Amino acid sequence: MLRGHFLTSKSYHLICTPTRCIELVKGIMSRRKALIIEDPQMNSDIFETPFIVWEPMEHCCRPSELPSVFEAMDFVDVFSPNDHELSALFKEEDQNEGTIAQQDLQQYCKTLLAQGFGLKPSAVVVRMGEDGCFVASHTRSITLPAYHTPLKNVKQEDRATWKNKVADPTGGGNAFLGGYCIGLLTDEWHDLGPGLTPFEGAALLGSIAAGFAIEQPGMPTLSYHDGEELWNGERSLDRLASMRKRVMKLEIPKVSDELFDKFSPWEISKRPAVTNTTSRRLVHRRSTIKDARTRVS
């Protein structure tokens, strides 16, 4: 059971079955409401509806579990299986072999959005390892690259200078979703977008976090220079700028301002940013979001 400051977190990354997901979210929301009753003077901003990013357990990704998955999605903002788990969720015969067909990827995500999320601001984020991630929402669906470019995606003339910087992919998916949760709460990616929705921009931070995690066995090295954090000797914002250049070259369909605003999960405050952050703006949850979480007593 979460206690203390963990109950006031603005985002949670859950790795569990559909049933356990519902139990955990209900428990979190119930305890948060209890804290408000216990201390009415507590800052109400702390208790905005938290972002819930759900990563399903592999063994529950099968067609018979789809109704349970749809039910659990009413309690979360982001559903993030990897590509093999997504395929297995819809095809009993999937043997975790090969790459999921683009047509199937899009159709599966459309089904999840329609039957699991309904019309609330939300996204299906499919993690695809070295191939990056596929972010599907009610605004559009796009593929974003991994931070480290695999050899197969390097131009023939550049392959002689290509270096493999991936030492151990273990933990890359978890690191991605950890970075993704942070990306949902900040506007660091906003000016570097370009024109990305919050659910897409957060994936850039996820890719950067995963990039650091897989460059060595174990944890990346943390150091400081002039008061700034360095991971494996580099600033995360420098890597974000590098990702921007790559994303700028992608052919991304435009989203109308009306559609962008309708399915944005948060609002921007003009108040000064909190201490110990480089964000210039505070991100606030959209107050009109209503789903199973807001009905927990």
Side-chain angles (χ1 to χ4, degrees):
M1 176 64 70
L2 292 176
R3 298 181 183 278
H5 65 279
F6 291 110
L7 277 173
T8 62
S9 296
K10 291 183 177 292
S11 65
Y12 297 91
H13 169 206
L14 308 181
I15 310 174
C16 52
T17 65
T19 300
R20 182 59 174 158
C21 176
I22 294 173
E23 292 175 352
L24 288 172
V25 176
K26 283 184 175 180
I28 290 170
M29 297 304 295
S30 179
R31 287 289 295 127
R32 287 165 72 100
K33 289 186 176 182
L35 280 181
I36 297 178
I37 296 174
E38 294 168 8
D39 186 1
Q41 302 302 316
M42 191 170 287
N43 187 344
S44 61
D45 284 352
I46 294 176
F47 292 98
E48 295 170 338
T49 304
F51 284 101
I52 307 291
V53 176
W54 174 36
E55 175 183 352
M57 297 289 286
E58 182 179 1
H59 71 268
C60 69
C61 292
R62 54 181 184 269
S64 61
E65 289 288 337
L66 261 179
S68 297
V69 169
F70 291 150
E71 181 182 3
M73 289 173 71
D74 194 27
F75 288 81
V76 306
D77 300 279
V78 175
F79 177 56
S80 183
N82 62 36
D83 49 352
H84 296 306
E85 291 165 345
L86 177 66
S87 182
L89 189 58
F90 285 88
K91 295 168 61 178
E92 196 73 63
E93 67 273 15
D94 183 78
Q95 299 297 320
N96 289 342
E97 296 179 359
T99 302
I100 186 172
Q102 186 69 17
Q103 183 177 354
D104 289 340
L105 179 63
Q106 293 181 355
Q107 185 56 53
Y108 298 159
C109 288
K110 284 182 179 179
T111 300
L112 289 168
L113 284 167
Q115 298 189 44
F117 283 134
L119 291 177
K120 72 176 179 180
S122 51
V124 178
V125 180
V126 184
R127 293 167 285 115
M128 303 187 295
E130 65 178 16
D131 292 321
C133 66
F134 183 78
V135 182
S137 68
H138 292 297
T139 54
R140 64 185 168 199
S141 299
I142 64 173
T143 299
L144 294 169
Y147 180 76
H148 292 299
T149 304
L151 180 60
K152 66 181 182 180
N153 292 342
V154 177
K155 293 181 180 179
Q156 193 66 41
E157 59 268 26
D158 296 329
R159 292 192 174 189
T161 58
W162 177 84
K163 294 182 179 179
N164 179 23
K165 295 185 178 181
V166 178
D168 183 359
T170 304
N174 286 341
F176 173 89
L177 289 178
Y180 191 94
C181 286
I182 297 300
L184 285 174
L185 300 177
T186 70
D187 69 334
E188 297 296 353
W189 57 267
H190 193 270
D191 295 331
L192 301 173
L196 298 180
T197 69
F199 292 115
E200 296 161 357
L204 299 186
L205 272 72
S207 294
I208 291 167
F212 284 127
I214 63 179
E215 290 172 353
Q216 67 290 305
M219 295 291 290
T221 300
L222 171 63
S223 59
Y224 295 88
H225 179 71
D226 292 337
E228 289 191 282
E229 284 188 357
L230 300 179
W231 291 93
N232 291 348
E234 294 186 45
R235 293 195 326 145
S236 58
L237 288 181
D238 289 338
R239 290 199 173 191
L240 185 57
S242 175
M243 286 290 287
R244 176 187 185 271
K245 293 179 181 179
R246 296 167 62 187
V247 173
M248 286 282 287
K249 298 177 181 179
L250 300 177
E251 295 183 1
I252 299 177
K254 292 184 181 293
V255 175
S256 68
D257 291 340
E258 181 181 0
L259 194 61
F260 187 100
D261 292 339
K262 180 178 180 180
F263 291 107
S264 177
W266 47 248
E267 300 165 347
I268 290 290
S269 169
K270 295 182 179 179
R271 288 182 292 168
V274 293
T275 306
N276 298 327
T277 179
T278 55
S279 292
R280 293 183 297 279
R281 295 163 290 188
L282 288 174
V283 173
H284 290 273
R285 287 291 265 156
R286 169 166 282 178
S287 58
T288 55
I289 291 178
K290 303 295 181 183
D291 61 8
R293 282 169 297 186
T294 62
R295 298 192 292 271
V296 174
S297 58

